[in-house]
Amino acid sequence: MAFQSFQALATPIAPETFIAAATQIDAAKLSALALAVEADPRGVVNRLQGDVGGRGALQRYAAAMLQQGQAQRLGRQWAVLVADKAVLAAPETKDGSIWFPRAKDAGFFTGGIAAALSRDSGAVSAFARGAGLPEPAKVQSIPEWLSQPAALLPRPARSAFDRAQRAGAV
């Protein structure tokens, strides 16, 4: 799929397209990637989480957003994924097991952002403003700070969030 084909973003882009575009991000690609996340945040994150190159693409995207002065926008994107606690806590049954796919998606995105913010701590204030959060306490790590929305989830959903957050951050 050519880069131009996801400029309008009427439908979610395929993870391969996001991953390919996130390999070398310029201003135009960054704008298109940000629009893709905003058009279907859960769908894009879910697709990235399921792809071998998804974690790296997410971290490169988050780093590029921070480097290009888009920390507030990234904060708003993150806030959308973690805003609805009922959605995050909603279980699904799959293959006879109970899953928490939305908590997992939000955790994965959180991990990718935490990795980028940990390397670019100067963007934390702007990210916090965009996310509608107070800045982290001096003794609080970035991953700990960003995991606060999951703190009130039921234990299984919180565990799914935490595992995915670690997976997105490594």
Side-chain angles (χ1 to χ4, degrees):
M1 179 192 295
F3 172 70
Q4 297 87 332
S5 64
F6 65 87
Q7 291 287 341
L9 298 167
T11 60
I13 63 172
E16 300 82 26
T17 304
F18 194 102
I19 291 167
T23 301
Q24 292 186 343
I25 301 174
D26 60 21
K29 284 183 184 177
L30 183 60
S31 178
L33 292 169
L35 288 172
V37 171
E38 290 161 356
D40 184 12
R42 289 181 179 97
V44 169
V45 173
N46 182 269
R47 289 179 180 100
L48 288 174
Q49 189 175 186
D51 194 282
V52 172
R55 179 189 47 82
L58 172 59
Q59 288 184 11
R60 286 187 300 276
Y61 165 72
M65 289 289 282
L66 299 177
Q67 291 166 0
Q68 295 299 313
Q70 297 290 318
Q72 283 188 336
R73 186 177 186 183
L74 185 62
R76 288 188 300 272
Q77 292 172 350
W78 174 80
V80 165
L81 283 169
V82 299
D84 192 338
K85 305 304 182 260
V87 169
L88 293 177
E92 290 183 16
T93 303
K94 181 177 174 183
D95 299 330
S97 299
I98 296 176
W99 297 74
F100 296 88
R102 296 303 167 210
K104 191 175 170 192
D105 293 344
F108 185 76
F109 195 65
T110 299
I113 290 172
L117 280 172
S118 294
R119 290 187 291 271
D120 189 355
S121 60
V124 170
S125 293
F127 178 88
R129 280 191 304 277
L133 292 175
E135 290 188 37
K138 297 280 186 220
V139 297
Q140 204 171 29
S141 70
I142 298 296
E144 180 184 23
W145 172 61
L146 290 176
S147 67
Q148 289 178 16
L152 299 177
L153 294 176
R155 186 180 305 206
R158 187 174 61 239
S159 293
F161 181 96
D162 291 343
R163 282 190 307 274
Q165 181 180 7
R166 285 189 297 277
V170 282

